[in-house]
């Protein structure tokens, strides 16, 4: 199979590329990525020389570039490329709407014209909004996104759904919970805890730290996508959760224990505006229809993640040099920072 992966220089996309190359010796991958701040060729170092993997720098909003890539005879697409960080979307949503909504529409249109036979859209559980205590979202739950990021992903999700309904274009949508594991950009909570704790820096816990996320190890998510790519039903949506619900402060404490660092590094700071209290999915459909279940326990996954970050200081230094530290300083090191203040300091308002 000739597969197009978009966003394959980012966290989940790069793990997926690695897994597909290992699992399917006959497959070749075209990897289209714009290399924004979160996409990095250091992340792909071990697969760049593989003749089955071709990296193409390009924007999914660039119709001509997308057509050029598709003309290589792409049979299927797994679409990861996105602006992915909620806090950045709160600071400025423009790039989110452009890449996540318009970029997805551009890709769908070009793929349809090129006769692509399968299109997997990597959506997110955030499209459902915040879950009440005890509630779990099914694939039929209503969409109620709360952040500009989540709204832009819901936009992409609905456009993709419409391409199936209107044109019978073979789209499948996945909605996964919070991923963790190697190569995750250190603005996200778990790698942020590790990288800051290793430097002895304080760790910002938003609000009361009791927000709950369901954590899935990234290779389990990639395995689900591989299964769905091959066996999923066209026009369907699949929720992907791991059943590992943790309050933020609890998972932060666990990581600090693994690192042998003190809990006193945890610092409660101003909450994220519109912060979703809890994410929780019902993923029986994918288990029943396709037999996928996550394999990594949270204990094993956290240990593997911590070990990877300890062994890959060079990767952290290289990606952090590309803007994370400056962004981070602007946003959180000023404890009294308000959203308006941040926008003002960036000259946007
Ligand atoms: P990431 O930010 O690590 O990677 C995104 C990649 O997309 C980067 O390599 C970036 O360079 C690329 N990209 C951004 N804009 C682009 C554009 N216009 N054209 C081409 N490439 C572009 O994100 P991630 O955490 O790996 O997430 C990947 C996908 O999975 C996203 O669609 C995200 O919404 C979804 N998702 C993420 C999670 C999670 O927990 N991280 C959970 C569920 C779904
Ligand atoms: O649920 C899937 C989503 O998970 C994906 O669609 C997103 O792309 C991905 O970024 C992630 O979104 P979250 O907002 O849940 O992830 P983040 O790592 O930013 O935050 C996790 C939780 O930790 C959240 O409740 C906010 C909190 N947090 C985050 C940061 C960065 C803190 O308390 N302090 C922090 O510094």
């Amino acid at each position: 199979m000739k597969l197009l992966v978009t966003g394959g220089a980012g966290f989940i996309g790069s793990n997926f590329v690695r897994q597909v190359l290992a699992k399917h010796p006959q497959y070749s991958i075209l990897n289209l990525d714009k290399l924004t701040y979160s996409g990095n060729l250091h992340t792909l170092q071990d697969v760049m020389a593989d003749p089955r993997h071709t990296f193409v720098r390009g924007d999914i909003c660039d119709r001509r570039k997308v057509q050029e890539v598709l003309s290589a005879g792409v049979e299927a697409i797994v679409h990861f490329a996105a602006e992915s960080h909620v806090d950045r979307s709160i600071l400025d949503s423009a790039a989110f709407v452009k890449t996540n909504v318009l970029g997805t529409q551009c890709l769908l249109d070009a793929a349809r014209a090129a006769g692509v036979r399968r299109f997997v859209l990597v959506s997110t559980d955030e499209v459902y909004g915040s879950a009440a205590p005890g509630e779990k979202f099914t694939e039929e739950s209503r969409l109620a996104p709360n952040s500009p990021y989540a709204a832009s992903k819901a936009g992409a999700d609905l456009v993709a759904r419409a391409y199936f309904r209107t044109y019978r274009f073979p789209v499948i949508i996945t909605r996964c919970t919070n991923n963790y594991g190697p190569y995750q950009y250190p603005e996200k909570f778990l790698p942020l805890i590790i990288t800051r704790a290793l430097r002895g820096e304080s760790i910002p816990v938003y609000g009361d730290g009791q927000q709950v996320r369901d954590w899935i190890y990234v290779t389990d998510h990639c395995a689900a996508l591989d299964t769905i790519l091959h066996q999923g039903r066209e026009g369907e949506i699949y929720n992907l959760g791991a059943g590992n619900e943790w309050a933020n402060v609890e998972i932060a404490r666990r990581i600090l224990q693994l690192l042998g660092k003190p809990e006193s590094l945890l610092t409660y700071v101003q909450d994220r505006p519109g912060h979703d209290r809890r994410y929780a999915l019902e993923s029986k459909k994918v288990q029943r229809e396709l037999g996928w279940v996550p394999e990594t326990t949270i204990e094993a996954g956290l240990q593997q993640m911590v070990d990877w970050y300890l062994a890959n200081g060079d990767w952290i230094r290289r990606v952090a040099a590309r803007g994370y530290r400056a962004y981070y300083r602007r946003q959180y090191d000023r404890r009294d920072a308000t959203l308006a203040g941040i926008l003002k300091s960036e000259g946007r308002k």
Side-chain angles (χ1 to χ4, degrees):
M1 185 190 280
K2 188 167 268 186
L3 189 61
L4 171 62
V5 171
T6 69
F11 164 47
I12 309 174
S14 64
N15 277 284
F16 182 74
V17 165
R18 215 167 269 113
Q19 196 176 101
V20 168
L21 290 173
K23 266 191 191 169
H24 304 291
Q26 309 302 329
Y27 286 20
S28 63
I29 298 179
L30 285 165
N31 183 350
L32 176 66
D33 196 298
K34 187 179 174 183
L35 297 182
T36 66
Y37 76 95
S38 75
N40 205 301
L41 288 183
H42 297 299
T43 297
L44 291 167
Q45 228 164 15
D46 55 328
V47 292
M48 285 304 275
D50 190 322
R52 295 172 301 145
H53 170 247
T54 307
F55 181 80
V56 181
R57 184 170 189 184
D59 189 332
I60 55 164
C61 301
D62 178 349
R63 174 78 187 226
R64 205 174 294 170
K65 176 60 89 179
V66 170
Q67 280 171 335
E68 186 189 313
V69 171
L70 290 175
S71 69
V74 168
E75 295 164 73
I77 300 179
V78 183
H79 175 34
F80 295 92
E83 289 291 336
S84 67
H85 192 45
V86 172
D87 292 325
R88 286 181 188 258
S89 81
I90 294 169
L91 289 170
D92 187 350
S93 62
F96 287 76
V97 174
K98 184 157 188 266
T99 286
N100 299 0
V101 185
L102 298 179
T104 299
Q105 184 273 336
C106 175
L107 195 63
L108 281 163
D109 231 25
R112 184 173 156 255
V116 169
R117 295 211 304 268
R118 187 151 276 219
F119 187 108
V120 178
L121 172 73
V122 184
S123 188
T124 170
D125 63 351
E126 296 204 16
V127 297
Y128 298 117
S130 198
E135 183 182 22
K136 284 197 172 195
F137 295 121
T138 71
E139 288 82 357
E140 277 73 46
S141 297
R142 81 185 173 107
L143 304 192
N146 290 316
S147 70
Y149 160 72
S152 69
K153 289 295 291 185
D157 191 308
L158 291 176
V159 174
R161 178 181 176 278
Y163 266 65
F164 177 75
R165 293 283 168 149
T166 307
Y167 309 113
R168 294 284 137 182
F169 182 61
V171 168
I172 304 177
I173 296 168
T174 65
R175 296 177 181 153
C176 189
T177 54
N178 284 63
N179 285 224
Y180 69 105
Y183 299 106
Q184 189 168 28
Y185 195 73
E187 67 187 350
K188 303 280 165 52
F189 193 41
L190 301 202
L192 181 142
I193 295 168
I194 300 171
T195 51
R196 286 187 69 89
L198 290 177
R199 292 197 293 261
E201 293 169 355
S202 67
I203 292 152
V205 177
Y206 297 168
D208 64 4
Q210 293 304 319
Q211 303 83 5
V212 171
R213 297 291 182 266
D214 171 8
W215 294 97
I216 183 169
Y217 200 67
V218 64
T219 51
D220 282 335
H221 182 194
C222 293
L225 292 172
D226 183 53
T227 303
I228 287 165
L229 172 67
H230 293 93
Q231 297 161 43
R233 284 191 292 134
E234 291 171 7
E236 293 296 320
I237 297 166
Y238 295 98
N239 281 351
L240 303 170
N244 287 316
E245 287 190 38
W246 285 63
N248 289 340
V249 72
E250 295 305 329
I251 203 155
R253 285 195 185 117
R254 181 74 195 117
I255 292 172
L256 289 175
Q257 276 169 11
L258 291 174
L259 290 168
K261 297 287 179 184
E263 279 186 24
S264 56
L265 290 177
L266 298 177
T267 309
Y268 290 88
V269 300
Q270 186 186 335
D271 207 352
R272 172 187 276 176
H275 198 171
D276 285 332
R277 195 70 181 162
R278 174 170 171 260
Y279 296 142
L281 293 182
E282 184 61 78
S283 345
K284 284 190 183 139
K285 179 174 170 180
V286 67
Q287 293 174 15
R288 190 182 58 244
E289 285 189 14
L290 307 178
W292 171 83
V293 280
E295 287 177 356
T296 314
T297 63
I298 187 81
E299 287 303 324
L302 288 178
Q303 186 66 61
Q304 283 170 42
M305 181 185 197
V306 164
D307 291 345
W308 188 88
Y309 277 84
L310 287 172
N312 288 277
D314 187 48
W315 180 86
I316 298 169
R317 273 187 298 281
R318 283 166 188 265
V319 304
R322 295 193 57 199
Y324 149 70
R325 286 176 73 80
Y327 160 78
Y328 188 81
R329 264 199 308 277
R330 271 204 312 276
Q331 195 175 15
Y332 301 116
D333 276 359
R334 298 172 6 204
R335 294 279 164 260
D336 61 346
T338 60
L339 194 58
I342 293 162
L343 290 171
K344 195 169 166 211
S345 74
E346 293 191 337
R348 306 215 197 147
K349 281 263 155 62

